[in-house]
Amino acid sequence: MKSILVPVEAHSGMAAVLETARLLAQKFGSYIEGVALGPDLTQIVAADFSLDGIVFDDAVRRDIFDEARQIFESFMHDSGIPPHGGPPDDATAPSYGWRRPNLVSDTGVGEYGRVFDIIAVGRPSPGVEQPRKSTLESALIESGRPLLIAPPRAPGRLGETIAIAWNRSPETARTVAFALPLLKAAKDVPVFTIPGYSLSGPDHVQLVENLQRHDVPARAVDVHESAKTPGLAVLVTARAVGADLLIKGGYTQSRLRQFIFGRATGQILAEANIPIFMAH
């Protein structure tokens, strides 16, 4: 995981996103690249702004871009992370860069993210100055890459105890494969399945056996009782095993059914207080 993309905008969770990305970069000596995230045009149209409204003014767009870059570069400077290619030029230490000269849309984040190892975003919340769900979904669906989803408050550590919520789905299988570098570096990898909420296929014990072949310190955790909803059961179990990172496949059901029934992915995205590693 040598390259991390971070969409940057002035929302309340931005500091937590940057700190979570930094924790990951420290593990692998990663390059972190920031891009300035533009306004959500869907919300603007819904709010009945005219197409020649203020958000399309070049000066305003430049202000949004400059603020995002300032947020990103100030964090890197304060964290002691040098620009990529500048002194100290240590291949094992994190570095940062900023290459895109313009604002990037949610769709643009998904497209640009295809050449990175992972994309760091904030856990979506309703309201203004919050991370947008549209950003996360575009990055998740359009990039083909995994996401590191930061909680509202930055964690103190990352990747020491990694819980895997195994529901036997292809999305979760792919997420586990993407996460293998992190899993091999972990101290403890508890793997569990929520009773009554999984597809047909190999159980969590079989997954543990395969992970152990890769020298992952995986262990099976049996969950005998589930909470009222599968999403809550996943979060309760992750907390019980002391996880500082949760591995979870994204949208095993369609996004429409997620919206209608409020299933596991939606609830986890709404309530998780630890970082989530997710792929689709």
Side-chain angles (χ1 to χ4, degrees):
M1 297 190 179
K2 298 293 290 185
S3 59
I4 305 169
L5 179 65
V6 182
V8 182
E9 63 177 340
H11 62 61
S12 63
M14 198 65 242
V17 174
L18 290 167
E19 175 61 13
T20 304
R22 185 192 68 81
L23 290 172
L24 178 64
Q26 278 192 321
K27 288 183 171 293
F28 299 103
S30 309
Y31 165 72
I32 309 171
E33 184 169 320
V35 292
L37 187 61
D40 182 357
L41 300 186
T42 302
Q43 291 183 357
I44 292 168
V45 172
D48 200 26
F49 281 88
S50 63
L51 292 181
D52 59 347
I54 187 171
V55 76
F56 292 95
D57 181 86
D58 288 341
V60 173
R61 293 176 67 84
R62 175 53 57 181
D63 287 345
I64 294 172
F65 176 90
D66 290 344
E67 182 179 18
R69 185 164 186 171
Q70 176 67 26
I71 290 170
F72 179 77
E73 293 185 342
S74 293
F75 176 88
M76 295 300 158
H77 179 269
D78 293 344
S79 299
I81 299 176
H84 184 68
D89 191 8
D90 182 354
T92 65
S95 62
Y96 78 88
W98 187 283
R99 300 177 65 184
R100 299 290 292 252
N102 300 308
L103 295 178
V104 176
S105 66
D106 290 332
T107 299
V109 168
E111 293 172 350
Y112 191 47
R114 294 169 191 165
V115 295
F116 289 80
D117 296 323
I118 193 166
I119 305 170
V121 298
R123 196 193 80 184
S125 299
V128 297
E129 296 185 356
Q130 299 290 332
R132 299 196 301 261
K133 189 175 183 181
S134 58
T135 305
L136 182 149
E137 289 192 338
S138 179
L140 183 69
I141 304 300
E142 301 295 336
S143 71
R145 312 304 296 166
L147 304 189
L148 180 63
I149 305 170
R153 178 176 293 182
R157 58 189 175 93
L158 180 75
E160 295 183 13
T161 300
I162 305 176
I164 300 177
W166 177 245
N167 64 357
R168 313 184 192 192
S169 72
E171 290 86 359
T172 303
R174 181 175 297 163
T175 306
V176 171
F178 274 132
L180 195 57
L182 269 168
L183 296 172
K184 294 176 73 171
K187 296 179 180 179
D188 184 26
V189 180
V191 184
F192 62 89
T193 295
I194 301 302
Y197 294 102
S198 66
L199 305 179
S200 59
D203 63 18
H204 65 298
V205 175
Q206 291 170 289
L207 175 61
V208 165
E209 292 172 353
N210 185 62
L211 289 172
Q212 289 174 345
R213 296 185 183 102
H214 292 273
D215 298 322
V216 173
R219 60 185 176 92
V221 175
D222 292 326
V223 179
H224 300 290
E225 296 183 8
S226 63
K228 291 182 179 180
T229 66
L232 182 58
V234 166
L235 295 176
V236 168
T237 305
R239 186 182 308 117
V241 299
D244 57 35
L245 180 65
L246 173 65
I247 305 293
K248 171 74 175 68
Y251 296 113
T252 297
Q253 298 184 37
S254 72
R255 279 181 284 173
L256 177 60
R257 292 191 64 186
Q258 290 277 339
F259 176 75
I260 295 171
F261 297 109
R263 301 295 295 231
T265 302
Q267 185 165 36
I268 290 170
L269 290 178
E271 300 187 23
N273 288 315
I274 60 172
I276 306 166
F277 186 102
M278 182 177 288
H280 179 64

